[in-house]
Amino acid sequence: MNLVIRLIIVALAAVFPNFKFSYGVFLIIGMTLVSAFCFFAAYVDHIHGQPAWMVRNEILYGIGASAIGWGLGLALMRQAKRHEAIVKNNLGEYVRKRDA
């Protein structure tokens, strides 16, 4: 079932550049929320006296989640803009050939 959902997302992203752009925004927001949860968990564990290595790892997971989310999200958004420009260019070429 998980594979089917992934294939649907990939197919929609390949066909619709706006979906790819929206998915990039969703990825940034989602990973930022995951990062915020990791930082909150690190804060709560620090207050309740958990070992320093546990707090450090939660902070590193939060930084990693934020960096991955922003990196992948911005890459998807740039890719969507390029895909949209290519589609517009090909549409203009199609209209020129049709009218000729």
Side-chain angles (χ1 to χ4, degrees):
M1 184 65 178
N2 195 9
L3 182 63
V4 173
I5 293 172
R6 287 183 186 175
L7 288 174
I8 291 171
I9 290 174
V10 169
L12 287 172
V15 175
F16 303 110
N18 287 337
F19 179 80
K20 192 181 291 187
F21 189 85
S22 301
Y23 191 68
V25 171
F26 173 75
L27 189 65
I28 290 173
I29 293 170
M31 293 300 274
T32 301
L33 290 175
V34 168
S35 176
F37 176 75
C38 289
F39 292 141
F40 179 72
Y43 171 73
V44 169
D45 284 347
H46 178 69
I47 287 176
H48 293 296
Q50 293 295 326
W53 63 269
M54 183 181 273
V55 175
R56 183 195 68 222
N57 287 346
E58 289 172 344
I59 290 171
L60 291 176
Y61 288 148
I63 292 170
S66 180
I68 289 170
W70 277 95
L72 290 177
L74 291 175
L76 277 173
M77 291 166 59
R78 288 182 67 196
Q79 201 175 50
K81 287 180 183 177
R82 288 181 185 163
H83 185 177
E84 189 174 4
I86 289 170
V87 168
K88 284 182 182 179
N89 187 22
N90 287 341
L91 183 63
E93 185 177 324
Y94 170 75
V95 169
R96 264 196 322 265
K97 286 181 181 179
R98 185 189 65 189
D99 292 338

